[in-house]
Amino acid sequence: MTTLSQTLASDALTSGRLPRFTVPVIAVASLLVGIAVASLFAGGNLALAAVLGFVLYLLAMETAARVVEGARQASDRRATTLVTGAFILALLPLGSVAWEAISKGIARFDLNYFTMSMRNIVGAGGGAVHAIYGTLYVTGLASLMSIPIGLLTAIYLSEYGRGNRLAKSITFFVDVMTGIPSIVAGLFAYALMGLLIGPGFKSGFSGSIALSVLMIPVVVRSSEEILRLVPNELREASYALGVPKWLTIVRIVVPTAISGLISGIILSIARVIGETAPLLIASGFTASLNNNPFDNPMMTLPVFVYDSYAHPGTDVQAYWDRAWTGALTLILIVMLLNLIGRLIARRFAPKIGR
Amino acid sequence: MSQKLTREPEAAPGKPEPTPSPARPDPKRPGETVFRGFALGAGIAILAILAAVATFLLIQGSPALLADPAALTAKGYGPFLEWVLPYVFGTVWAAVLALAMAVPVAIGIALFISHYAPRRLAQPLGYVIDLLAAVPSVVFGLWGSLMLAPAVRPLFTWLNANLGFIPLFSGQVSGTGRTIFTAAIVLATMVLPIITSLCREVFLQTPKLHEEAALALGATRWEMVKMSVFPFARPGIIAAVMLGLGRALGETMAVTMVLSGGRNITFQILTSENPNSIAAQIAQNFPEAFGLKTNQLIAAGLVLFLITLVVNMIARWIVARRAAYSGAN
Amino acid sequence: MSKRIETTDLNVYYGSFRAVEDVTITIEPRTVTAFIGPSGCGKSTFLRTLNRMHEVIPGAHVEGEVLLDGENLYGVGVDPVRVRRQVGMVFQRPNPFPTMSIKENVLAGIRLNNKRMPRAEQDDLVERSLRGANLWEEVKNRLELPGSGLSGGQQQRLCIARAIAMEPQVLLMDEPCSALDPISTLAIEDLISELKEQYTIVIVTHNMQQAARVSDVTAFFNIAGTGSPGRLIEVGPTDKIFSAPDEKATEDYISGRFG
């Protein structure tokens, strides 16, 4: 507070400011010192250099700002540094994951990988075509169940049930469902099938049930949000033309929101397509292609990655290479779905807001 | 066009006129009835699914809960509660460690995006963080065990040598780097985008007037954030943390693939004696399990479900309470 | 093609709150009736009860009757959807359907009700309705373009075309010009004068000059205070209401002493 009253006491509008070049100069200098120290004492450890550089930058800026600009500005600059640092810190794992997946996955990113299964393969070679098919079956069936249920529920919540008790309890339980751990969804599907068909039954469809439990709440939440964005004026305009409510929903509300709905659905598929734990439980493992999702275990890409990693045969490297290629494929699929989803949301959005 | 207002058949004359209830659809319009029925049915199906999840887990888990403790002991895993307790500890401990690392960073990132980054960059930067959320968990698991674990070993050795007097860092450093600390780092990376995006949303909702009032008083940007953004966002931050916690508790693959845990209850995070989480325990043992063991694992899943349920409920409750009084929505 | 509206002791409620009290009024065919009054006096709410649009708001309900040429809109077995096909409505803000072209917007009422109509007849209806709304000349070369590309005033006339394409008996207008600039407002007002040859028109307006310009009959609504229901204070020929009203409150409002 003393600083504030001092500032107020003098009427000057100017005060000490660090020149603009201070930030880049100190940043580069700290980084160089960090690298120098790291290479002298720790054999050029990059992480150490970065950490040292960051700490040095913090200290140098703190001192410079305190001397020239005062304590308040110094703490403001410290906050800026820390906040920016947090963002850069988050980029590290992202960059590292991407780099590892690409550099290690590219080795087996070949034709065999996408045309062969693991049937009768020990050691090098083979591929993940059985797992890719499995992922398509399992995710496809899950979408087939989740999209209608999720979409219709969202329509009920936003169009019919606004504020009534049933709608409130559905909203509540959708929230609860969002929080179900994925492995519990897998256990549920397994338990259900165990009681319906027989203990130990595993199939692609069991996995779809597990994924549906995870996917439905995502579809409901995103669709409901989008449907609520459709201006009431459009519904009123339609009612005023003597159009019944259900036709208004089908012909006006849904078409107006369609790009958002599709984008939400694609993002929800992207969300579950990489799920591993529930499929591990409900769909199991197999080395060969299974084209019947309703019987016998079915391999899926995430489980293939896990299995290759966790149960390598004698030729560990060959299994781990396949795992990395699987990881790369998964990342590509998920990124592609995300990209498509966002593009659709942006490109085809009707101009609602004026 | 028909000039009739009523539909066939004609209204029965002489009946007392009920006030038309707007909520009810016209029962004589089949499309309306069918469509509404479908929508309602879907909503009820969700309730049924959730009930089924609880019921089937109970049915399939109950043999382990009801079995004679002696029989379970004979099979080598003891009475249920005694068996599950170390895993409950592991689950909570890993999640708490993860949050301790993720929360400050997430708040920082959210603040960077909402109040520090240039306006034009805010949205793309948000996407970048969302990309982290899009990476499948099995990929993080692979990365954590094959890349991160070896990479953090020098750090572990250093921490142990220089800060070993702190119980957390004491003990014999693991030779593989695959400890609960590594697992927690991976978990932290995975919950980071969730907490970030929720915090970012709350930060952006801070009333502009509050911010401008602070700036007009001559506050620096950081003082403005402390004066107007944080007080406004506190309940939102807490809710985001709770939701992140719920996610961290239930996350399976990161722990399964990074950690070789056992039934240890220890707060040392650098040693090779590690606790295990419920989810990882299930994932590691389920494929080979049969008979009572399967039931026991399902019962453990039920315990996990209950823990995450409580955490998520608290989070939702905070969100709802906040929505009620803040007027932000 | 226009019908008389009569209401007797009509009360409108939002839940248990009475928003409009005891309105008794007769609205003549082929005239323009304007509802004026301060904000929150229930004039828009009352207007919406004339085609049961208030039912869109949860909890809103009506006591009393509204007769359309003697037939009660709230009678047993009356289908609000059919009511709205005869009593069209134009809203405060122009709201063309963003997913539809200009032509589709005009045909929306027909198409959305799953009615089949030969192409030639459709084209004919589109031209007739757009001409009726004084919009044909401006849009005849871009019927396939989205309706949201038009200016605000054109959009509002498109909405009027959309309403009259249903060939209603009555046209309700809820502050149709409040979101428009003065020139567009003038175009709409001219249109209203033409439309009254064929339709019963009820218009809610905040703008007293507008009421004076376009209406034959003016009804003044008022509330005693916040929380009390709106009431119909006085209704009469527009000239009389604006020059020599019977009620003191009407005079105060007209002369700008409140509201």
Side-chain angles (χ1 to χ4, degrees):
Chain A
M1 271 294 99
T2 51
T3 343
L4 185 62
S5 50
Q6 279 161 10
T7 320
L8 290 174
S10 79
D11 277 343
L13 289 174
T14 53
S15 65
R17 290 291 284 165
L18 285 171
R20 298 200 68 152
F21 59 79
T22 321
V23 173
V25 166
I26 295 189
V28 170
S30 331
L31 202 60
L32 285 178
V33 173
I35 292 172
V37 172
S39 50
L40 278 178
F41 297 102
N45 187 323
L46 269 178
L48 184 64
V51 172
L52 267 180
F54 186 73
V55 173
L56 281 174
Y57 175 80
L58 258 180
L59 290 176
M61 278 307 288
E62 184 78 19
T63 320
R66 223 166 244 280
V67 169
V68 181
E69 301 182 329
R72 289 177 61 216
Q73 293 298 335
S75 69
D76 186 45
R77 284 188 186 273
R78 194 194 319 133
T80 308
T81 311
L82 288 177
V83 160
T84 316
F87 182 80
I88 295 171
L89 182 62
L91 296 183
L92 294 180
L94 187 64
S96 174
V97 167
W99 170 249
E100 292 292 315
I102 294 171
S103 63
K104 293 187 176 155
I106 206 78
R108 281 302 324 276
F109 203 79
D110 51 29
L111 196 63
N112 272 353
Y113 194 84
F114 296 98
T115 49
M116 288 176 72
S117 74
M118 287 300 290
R119 196 179 175 84
N120 300 329
I121 301 250
V122 275
V129 76
H130 58 310
I132 294 171
Y133 270 59
T135 285
L136 293 182
Y137 280 125
V138 172
T139 318
L141 281 173
S143 308
L144 226 54
M145 292 185 281
S146 313
I147 295 170
I149 293 184
L151 210 53
L152 282 167
T153 303
I155 287 175
Y156 178 77
L157 291 178
S158 85
E159 306 297 319
Y160 285 105
R162 284 204 180 181
N164 75 22
R165 195 171 298 163
L166 180 64
K168 272 186 190 145
S169 60
I170 291 175
T171 306
F172 175 80
F173 283 111
V174 166
D175 278 348
V176 170
M177 228 169 152
T178 317
I180 292 182
S182 61
I183 194 155
V184 172
L187 289 175
F188 159 67
Y190 178 86
L192 177 74
M193 284 311 192
L195 283 181
L196 290 184
I197 296 174
F201 180 81
K202 295 181 179 184
S203 71
F205 184 64
S206 310
S208 316
I209 291 178
L211 291 191
S212 294
V213 171
L214 301 171
M215 189 172 169
I216 288 172
V218 183
V219 176
V220 173
R221 293 297 291 272
S222 77
S223 308
E224 191 193 350
E225 216 166 277
I226 297 291
L227 288 175
R228 283 186 193 277
L229 287 182
V230 174
N232 250 330
E233 298 165 9
L234 297 180
R235 296 188 183 90
E236 294 198 334
S238 174
Y239 296 147
L241 290 171
V243 180
K245 184 161 188 163
W246 76 280
L247 279 175
T248 301
I249 296 169
V250 174
R251 307 297 270 296
I252 299 290
V253 177
V254 170
T256 306
I258 194 73
S259 68
L261 293 177
I262 292 177
S263 146
I265 285 167
I266 292 178
L267 292 180
S268 74
I269 294 175
R271 171 84 197 279
V272 297
I273 205 168
E275 281 293 351
T276 318
L279 301 179
L280 194 66
I281 304 285
S283 294
F285 310 86
T286 165
S288 21
L289 184 60
N290 172 6
N291 272 317
N292 178 8
F294 296 97
D295 202 6
N296 293 323
M298 181 175 259
M299 197 57 142
T300 50
L301 201 47
V303 176
F304 176 78
V305 173
Y306 171 72
D307 187 38
S308 309
Y309 158 79
H311 310 120
T314 43
D315 187 358
V316 176
Q317 199 53 47
Y319 282 83
W320 284 4
D321 280 348
R322 281 193 292 264
W324 278 113
T325 308
L328 178 61
T329 315
L330 262 183
I331 292 181
L332 290 178
I333 293 174
V334 173
M335 294 299 152
L336 192 68
L337 285 173
N338 268 289
L339 197 69
I340 295 173
R342 291 197 197 283
L343 277 184
I344 289 178
R346 191 161 336 147
R347 182 67 59 85
F348 299 103
K351 322 283 177 274
I352 302 173
R354 277 179 293 265
Chain B
M1 185 167 309
S2 155
Q3 298 292 310
K4 279 239 166 59
L5 294 173
T6 48
R7 315 188 91 239
E8 310 311 329
E10 284 289 6
K15 258 194 176 171
E17 273 185 33
T19 326
S21 160
R24 241 166 257 305
D26 182 358
K28 285 163 243 150
R29 202 181 294 287
E32 185 70 57
T33 317
V34 169
F35 187 74
R36 190 190 147 93
F38 269 119
L40 185 63
I44 290 172
I46 287 186
L47 300 184
I49 291 171
L50 203 63
V53 171
T55 316
F56 282 100
L57 288 182
L58 260 178
I59 293 177
Q60 293 276 46
S62 55
L65 299 173
L66 302 175
D68 181 16
L72 291 170
T73 313
K75 284 186 184 286
Y77 34 83
F80 180 72
L81 273 184
E82 202 176 289
W83 173 80
V84 82
L85 222 57
Y87 302 127
V88 172
F89 167 79
T91 306
V92 175
W93 179 229
V96 167
L97 280 175
L99 282 189
M101 289 182 274
V103 170
V105 179
I107 293 176
I109 299 170
L111 208 54
F112 178 76
I113 295 174
S114 68
H115 284 82
Y116 280 82
R119 269 291 140 78
R120 257 178 325 122
L121 284 182
Q123 208 180 16
L125 293 182
Y127 283 155
V128 170
I129 297 300
D130 288 345
L131 281 183
L132 262 186
V135 176
S137 58
V138 70
V139 179
F140 272 122
L142 202 60
W143 173 76
S145 78
L146 295 184
M147 189 272 155
L148 187 66
V152 290
R153 252 183 45 222
L155 173 71
F156 285 6
T157 319
W158 185 85
L159 281 174
N160 182 255
N162 294 284
L163 298 171
F165 57 88
I166 303 172
L168 213 56
F169 301 131
S170 61
Q172 177 69 43
V173 173
S174 153
T176 56
R178 291 169 58 177
T179 75
I180 188 123
F181 191 25
T182 316
I185 296 176
V186 181
L187 275 183
T189 315
M190 298 176 73
V191 297
L192 193 67
I194 297 169
I195 306 179
T196 302
S197 73
L198 286 167
C199 285
R200 185 178 68 194
E201 230 162 79
V202 189
F203 290 165
L204 285 173
Q205 282 173 5
T206 314
K208 269 272 158 312
L209 279 173
H210 291 194
E211 294 180 16
E212 285 169 359
L215 289 175
L217 286 171
T220 62
R221 181 154 57 176
W222 175 237
E223 285 163 344
M224 179 271 282
V225 167
K226 277 194 297 183
M227 280 166 73
S228 60
V229 178
F230 280 160
F232 174 83
R234 188 165 298 131
I237 295 175
I238 296 171
V241 171
M242 296 300 285
L243 288 177
L245 182 61
R247 178 76 198 274
L249 289 169
E251 176 49 45
T252 313
M253 295 325 283
V255 184
T256 308
M257 293 170 79
V258 171
L259 203 55
S260 44
R263 297 169 43 79
N264 306 300
I265 298 189
T266 167
F267 287 99
Q268 298 180 333
I269 59 174
L270 302 180
T271 69
S272 49
E273 299 286 304
N274 289 293
N276 206 3
S277 77
I278 295 177
Q281 181 65 22
I282 298 172
Q284 284 158 352
N285 292 294
F286 203 87
E288 281 84 41
F290 57 89
L292 209 50
K293 179 84 177 174
T294 308
N295 300 124
Q296 183 125 2
L297 291 171
I298 291 178
L302 202 56
V303 172
L304 176 62
F305 183 28
L306 289 181
I307 296 175
T308 51
L309 195 63
V310 169
V311 170
N312 282 315
M313 294 280 198
I314 296 175
R316 302 285 173 200
W317 178 70
I318 295 172
V319 173
R321 221 177 43 138
R322 175 177 165 276
Y325 71 72
S326 76
N329 304 319
Chain C
M1 230 187 23
S2 69
K3 287 184 176 177
R4 171 182 289 107
I5 300 174
E6 292 160 287
T7 73
T8 36
D9 291 337
L10 192 82
N11 291 288
V12 192
Y13 298 85
Y14 290 121
S16 57
F17 170 67
R18 173 140 65 162
V20 176
E21 187 175 52
D22 291 339
V23 176
T24 303
I25 191 173
T26 301
I27 295 163
E28 294 296 333
R30 290 172 210 275
T31 55
V32 177
T33 304
F35 293 173
I36 60 170
S39 301
C41 68
K43 53 193 189 303
S44 287
T45 303
F46 175 67
L47 184 80
R48 284 174 161 252
T49 64
L50 301 183
N51 67 345
R52 297 185 62 163
M53 276 299 286
H54 67 287
E55 291 172 11
V56 173
I57 302 155
H61 58 105
V62 155
E63 264 172 24
E65 48 183 31
V66 177
L67 302 180
L68 187 65
D69 266 7
E71 194 175 4
N72 187 4
L73 298 189
Y74 292 89
V76 175
V78 172
D79 180 358
V81 166
R82 297 202 155 214
V83 170
R84 292 175 196 143
R85 285 178 198 165
Q86 288 193 37
V87 185
M89 190 161 188
V90 175
F91 297 84
Q92 220 173 60
R93 295 209 318 178
N95 51 5
F97 299 122
T99 49
M100 299 182 183
S101 70
I102 292 172
K103 183 178 167 183
E104 286 167 336
N105 258 292
V106 177
L107 291 172
I110 308 288
R111 289 210 181 146
L112 292 177
N113 280 304
N114 281 337
K115 288 222 170 60
R116 301 223 166 270
M117 192 184 252
R119 254 202 99 75
E121 223 172 292
Q122 282 184 12
D123 291 342
D124 191 48
L125 178 65
V126 169
E127 180 171 349
R128 198 152 23 104
S129 307
L130 285 171
R131 278 192 195 283
N134 282 346
L135 192 61
W136 176 251
E137 294 302 326
E138 289 158 65
V139 300
K140 64 182 176 191
N141 295 323
R142 44 172 168 158
L143 292 175
E144 305 302 331
L145 295 182
S148 46
L150 299 172
S151 77
Q154 289 173 324
Q155 285 188 17
Q156 192 63 302
R157 277 180 281 151
L158 178 59
C159 292
I160 294 175
R162 183 174 67 185
I164 59 182
M166 292 295 287
E167 296 174 354
Q169 306 293 331
V170 180
L171 202 53
L172 308 178
M173 298 186 166
D174 188 359
E175 300 187 37
C177 304
S178 65
L180 303 181
D181 62 276
I183 294 179
S184 308
T185 301
L186 203 64
I188 303 277
E189 286 179 6
D190 289 344
L191 176 59
I192 291 172
S193 317
E194 290 171 25
L195 288 175
K196 78 168 177 187
E197 308 291 324
Q198 291 183 60
Y199 304 97
T200 309
I201 292 181
V202 186
I203 177 172
V204 166
T205 176
H206 256 303
N207 179 335
M208 279 182 282
Q209 282 77 28
Q210 184 169 65
R213 280 194 299 263
V214 301
S215 72
D216 308 299
V217 176
T218 297
F220 172 62
F221 288 75
N222 201 3
I223 39 169
T226 346
S228 54
R231 305 183 68 110
L232 174 62
I233 303 298
E234 186 174 359
V235 56
T238 300
D239 302 343
K240 176 168 180 296
I241 295 284
F242 277 85
S243 56
D246 293 333
E247 299 288 330
K248 176 83 167 57
T250 315
E251 194 180 338
D252 287 351
Y253 182 74
I254 300 286
S255 56
R257 248 168 254 165
F258 73 96

